[in-house]
Amino acid sequence: MPSRAEITYFGAGPAALPTDVLESAASALLDYQGTGLGIAEHSHRSALAAKIIDEAKADLANYLDIPSDYEILFMQGGGSGEFSATVYNLVGAWVTRKQQEAAKQAGDDEAKIAEILQKQVASELKLDYVVTGGWSLKAYQEACRLVGEEHVNLVADARKINDGKFGKIPEESSWKLSQNAAMVYYCDNETVDGVEFPGFPQILTPNADGSGPIVVADMSSNILSRRIPVKNYHVIFFGAQKNLGSTGITVAIVKKDLLPPVTPQPSPKLLRKLGLPIGPIVLSYETIAKNNSLYNTLSIFDVYIAGQVLKKLLATYRQYKVDGQEAVANEKAKLIYEALEAYPEVYRIVPDKTARSRMNICFRIIKGPDTDASEKSFLSQSKDKGLEGLKGHRSVGGIRASNYNSISLEGAQTLASFIKYFGSL
């Protein structure tokens, strides 16, 4: 059996973790800082747990340069849970803003306010979705399920410009944005389809006074790999299991003007009158923020692992922080894509060059009469070289190299060398 040091794991998630972080975590599971109890056994209400949470939040803010007017929340439910959470919270924020406007007309007349709001919900409430892959499609479908298709606007569907398949990002000039949408959602990196936005969509850039679209982004699979303009977003969310840590926690970076006292969530009574869904309290940003992510039992062990990953990143890149990791991520992706491009008769890179993901490199093997057989041979031979986790997503097949932060430059070079070797056979 191969040792850990002999394997480079390119699985799409859960991703590999740094060995020294795992060694630290293994020790902490038995006895955390000489307390005689393992970290998973300490109360989530303890001062020890609060310190782990606070340090992880501070280190994340430092690494990504998150401004002070944003709240960092540790939640549960994964990215799929956030598909629902963003709908509940952002629709609630929209209702609160409309309620405040209605109160200027109707004063304290609750019945009149409700009447005004009912008309506005029917005619104005929209959630905008840019669909560029399997995950953004799931987010769009969840919004339709929760609030009804009449309130969900499909801004762009990448399949319409790519023969029914994902692999491109529609030109922004073709996007059909709603006026004053409750939110505009997009997935920054699509793990299944290997599509990544090259940068922040210019059409969503806020105005000089800070007004503009309320932007929500799913960054589950490329967070911590490049610098992001945090101030352009109202919500950024991501599961931990790609670049941050282990499966079990989800992070939401939320602009504080979505939270009390600026924007308290509307009452369940009002939402019922308006025919809008009332979200589970564990998905309430307001509730989680008030309780420093400890409304219910949070896995402190998973927060600890995330914190250790962040400390390692900060120690590795020091003053460069995320810019240092971005340079490495770009170099790794360049090595792998150039190896694939060197053998166009053997490999077909799935996404368009303008939308290629640095994190999930998806390709097919087109050499020979039987693609499936060729890909099975590639996977078998790569496994013999210690290259694991390269099988594509079950829904699309092919080969997928998930080039997360845990993949070293040497690991990327090993894969690039194998791609060249197989291409030359």
Side-chain angles (χ1 to χ4, degrees):
M1 296 294 289
S3 68
R4 182 178 181 84
E6 295 173 315
I7 290 175
T8 304
Y9 182 63
F10 290 93
L17 284 162
T19 298
D20 54 351
V21 168
L22 288 178
E23 290 171 342
S24 172
S27 176
L29 266 176
L30 290 174
D31 185 348
Y32 184 66
Q33 295 187 349
T35 61
L37 288 174
I39 191 170
E41 299 166 310
H42 280 276
S43 170
H44 65 296
R45 303 291 183 194
S46 65
L48 176 151
K51 182 180 179 184
I52 290 171
I53 291 171
D54 291 342
E55 284 189 6
K57 287 166 65 173
D59 287 342
L60 180 60
N62 182 13
Y63 181 74
L64 289 179
D65 290 324
I66 298 172
S68 60
D69 58 338
Y70 285 77
E71 186 71 51
I72 297 171
L73 309 176
F74 290 108
M75 303 179 68
Q76 296 166 64
S80 296
E82 290 302 308
F83 296 163
S84 303
T86 50
V87 171
Y88 293 133
N89 287 279
L90 276 296
V91 167
W94 182 90
V95 169
T96 293
R97 290 192 297 274
K98 295 297 182 181
Q99 183 182 18
Q100 292 168 347
E101 293 171 6
K104 294 177 182 177
Q105 302 177 43
D108 296 329
D109 189 336
E110 292 185 7
K112 182 63 175 176
I113 290 173
E115 181 184 340
I116 294 171
L117 289 175
Q118 284 170 337
K119 292 178 180 177
Q120 291 178 320
V121 167
S123 62
E124 298 177 28
L125 176 60
K126 289 292 182 183
L127 300 168
D128 279 6
Y129 284 80
V130 183
V131 174
T132 54
W135 291 111
S136 51
L137 178 61
K138 286 180 181 291
Y140 167 78
Q141 291 169 337
E142 177 67 352
C144 290
R145 188 181 73 86
L146 292 176
V147 298
E149 293 183 9
E150 68 273 19
H151 294 302
V152 184
N153 173 43
L154 184 57
V155 172
D157 185 343
R159 293 170 296 183
K160 292 182 177 179
I161 62 166
N162 197 42
D163 297 325
K165 297 180 180 180
F166 293 119
K168 294 182 178 180
I169 297 174
E171 291 287 341
E172 293 179 19
S173 59
S174 70
W175 292 14
K176 295 178 174 59
L177 293 165
S178 304
Q179 283 194 340
N180 302 315
M183 72 179 202
V184 182
Y185 162 97
Y186 76 98
C187 182
D188 206 39
N189 185 77
E190 294 277 4
T191 58
V192 174
D193 307 285
V195 169
E196 183 177 27
F197 278 77
F200 184 82
Q202 292 301 303
I203 197 172
L204 302 180
T205 302
N207 301 316
D209 63 359
S211 63
I214 295 173
V215 182
V216 171
D218 177 354
M219 295 189 179
S220 290
S221 51
N222 65 350
I223 196 68
L224 309 187
S225 73
R226 68 179 182 184
R227 180 165 292 279
I228 51 177
V230 178
K231 278 189 170 292
N232 289 359
Y233 300 91
H234 278 71
V235 179
I236 298 168
F237 68 81
F238 46 96
Q241 68 273 14
K242 313 289 188 181
N243 281 333
L244 179 60
S246 53
T247 304
I249 56 169
T250 311
V251 180
I253 302 170
V254 181
K255 195 168 186 179
K256 289 181 179 177
D257 67 9
L258 288 178
L259 303 170
V262 179
T263 312
Q265 284 288 296
S267 69
K269 179 181 177 181
L270 177 59
L271 290 173
R272 276 192 287 270
K273 282 185 178 180
L274 300 177
L276 293 173
I278 302 165
I281 199 164
V282 293
L283 295 183
S284 164
Y285 294 153
E286 177 179 320
T287 300
I288 302 303
K290 282 180 180 177
N291 290 276
N292 192 29
S293 299
L294 293 171
Y295 174 76
N296 60 330
T297 306
L298 183 69
S299 174
I300 300 302
F301 177 63
D302 291 319
V303 179
Y304 168 79
I305 290 179
Q308 293 301 301
V309 170
L310 287 164
K311 288 184 186 302
K312 182 178 178 67
L313 286 168
L314 287 167
T316 300
Y317 298 111
R318 299 185 184 278
Q319 73 268 27
Y320 300 108
K321 298 187 288 190
V322 70
D323 296 323
Q325 181 63 64
E326 181 172 7
V328 174
N330 291 347
E331 179 62 21
K332 292 188 298 173
K334 181 181 177 184
L335 281 169
I336 297 169
Y337 278 120
E338 285 183 348
L340 293 168
E341 289 174 333
Y343 296 89
E345 73 283 0
V346 178
Y347 305 109
R348 177 177 63 83
I349 300 170
V350 173
D352 189 75
K353 193 168 186 175
T354 60
R356 287 179 184 173
S357 170
R358 300 162 308 125
M359 296 289 102
N360 306 100
I361 298 169
C362 299
F363 57 97
R364 303 303 303 256
I365 297 175
I366 56 176
K367 182 180 181 180
D370 189 339
T371 294
D372 287 342
S374 296
E375 290 177 345
K376 285 179 180 177
S377 177
F378 181 96
L379 291 170
S380 176
Q381 292 187 52
S382 63
K383 187 179 180 72
D384 291 340
K385 301 290 186 181
L387 303 171
E388 296 272 6
L390 288 167
K391 188 175 182 179
H393 190 272
R394 62 186 181 278
S395 66
V396 294
I399 312 294
R400 173 174 57 174
S402 292
N403 184 35
Y404 298 134
N405 289 354
S406 61
I407 301 296
S408 65
L409 185 59
E410 292 74 21
Q413 289 169 333
T414 301
L415 175 58
S417 295
F418 175 75
I419 287 170
K420 293 175 183 177
Y421 161 78
F422 189 88
S424 66
L425 292 178

